[in-house]
Amino acid sequence: GAVVSQHPSRVICKSGTSVKIECRSLDFQATTMFWYRQFPKQSLMLMATSNEGSKATYEQGVEKDKFLINHASLTLSTLTVTSAHPEDSSFYICSARDLFESDTQYFGPGTRLTVL
Amino acid sequence: GENVEQHPSTLSVQEGDSAVIKCTYSDSASNYFPWYKQELGKRPQLIIDIRSNVGEKKDQRIAVTLNKTAKHFSLHITETQPEDSAVYFCAAPISGGYQKVTFGTGTKLQVIP
């Protein structure tokens, strides 16, 4: 099956720093990737849709200047959490949709962000 | 936009029994309904999905049923095993393109040996 990788798997940073998370589709092309945030014991909340070669679209309530998304190629999307604060601590998961499969999303393993 | 409700939030069953998780959705145009299994600290894994042109789909011990009129779909796990213990999420498409989905609130399934 399709494989999505995410890096890093875990990051601890100080408040005020920026953190970049990479999401890669390893064996398929993904024109669209999605970024989710998941707090403990809660569901996945869609943050933004990342489109190759164009600007990301953000869900209501998600600050685009705080969560910078870049989708520079068909296999890579990055999420940068700028000026991170403790309330940004969460599990960030990306997913990618195969260009040639209409609906299925494949998830990355997630990144556990802890902001001190 | 799409609103997905999922019940129950927790479910405990004896090993070998069946488990049923139900979801309702609001957008009658929705046409794709995946189910994901997520173990603690890991990624959601697609376990089964159904498209609106069928009413039921089965894959070994897992089945999904869809009632488009009532706008609800259910996950059925038969002959449950301890390794089925996890959190299960249903999802449904959000209108507006790009195949976005919204997730249900999740069901924590515990299979008691």
Side-chain angles (χ1 to χ4, degrees):
Chain A
V3 178
V4 176
S5 70
Q6 210 172 316
H7 179 80
S9 59
R10 187 179 296 269
V11 59
I12 301 173
C13 68
K14 292 182 179 180
S15 186
T17 60
S18 294
V19 174
K20 179 185 283 188
I21 302 170
E22 293 185 349
C23 178
R24 294 181 184 272
S25 57
L26 298 185
D27 52 359
F28 66 99
Q29 294 181 329
T31 53
T32 303
M33 292 184 176
F34 303 95
W35 287 97
Y36 296 84
R37 182 166 51 182
Q38 186 177 33
F39 292 108
K41 298 184 179 181
Q42 293 189 21
S43 187
L44 288 83
M45 298 302 296
L46 180 65
M47 298 174 65
T49 302
S50 171
N51 304 297
E52 188 268 335
S54 63
K55 291 183 179 180
T57 55
Y58 290 81
E59 296 302 304
Q60 191 173 9
V62 178
E63 300 175 56
K64 62 179 182 180
D65 294 330
K66 180 169 182 62
F67 299 100
L68 301 178
I69 291 172
N70 184 282
H71 194 153
S73 76
L74 285 172
T75 59
L76 173 64
S77 175
T78 61
L79 168 69
T80 301
V81 183
T82 62
S83 187
H85 291 284
E87 56 265 31
D88 298 323
S89 299
S90 188
F91 193 49
Y92 291 85
I93 310 176
C94 69
S95 73
R97 187 171 70 86
D98 191 328
L99 179 62
F100 298 103
E101 283 191 42
S102 59
D103 299 310
T104 306
Q105 289 187 36
Y106 299 96
F107 283 86
T111 297
R112 176 75 58 193
L113 171 63
T114 302
V115 184
L116 303 175
Chain B
E2 180 69 276
N3 183 39
V4 177
E5 294 188 1
Q6 183 171 345
H7 299 280
S9 56
T10 59
L11 179 60
S12 291
V13 299
Q14 291 290 333
E15 181 177 359
D17 288 351
S18 296
V20 181
I21 303 170
K22 298 181 179 180
C23 285
T24 61
Y25 61 98
S26 60
D27 188 352
S28 57
S30 292
N31 57 4
Y32 173 68
F33 306 94
W35 283 92
Y36 290 90
K37 175 183 179 182
Q38 186 180 30
E39 297 177 358
L40 187 63
K42 297 189 177 180
R43 76 184 84 193
Q45 298 271 15
L46 179 70
I47 56 172
I48 196 167
D49 56 16
I50 190 168
R51 288 171 173 77
S52 59
N53 58 342
V54 297
E56 183 175 359
K57 182 177 178 181
K58 190 174 182 180
D59 183 3
Q60 299 182 336
R61 297 187 296 110
I62 295 173
V64 55
T65 58
L66 171 65
N67 184 324
K68 289 175 59 180
T69 303
K71 291 189 282 189
H72 67 70
F73 56 110
S74 299
L75 177 70
H76 304 253
I77 306 174
T78 58
E79 301 173 33
T80 54
Q81 301 169 2
E83 51 266 37
D84 295 329
S85 297
V87 179
Y88 291 81
F89 294 97
C90 63
I94 302 171
S95 61
Y98 302 120
Q99 301 296 333
K100 298 189 298 184
V101 297
T102 186
F103 283 80
T105 49
T107 297
K108 184 175 182 179
L109 173 65
Q110 182 183 19
V111 180
I112 303 167

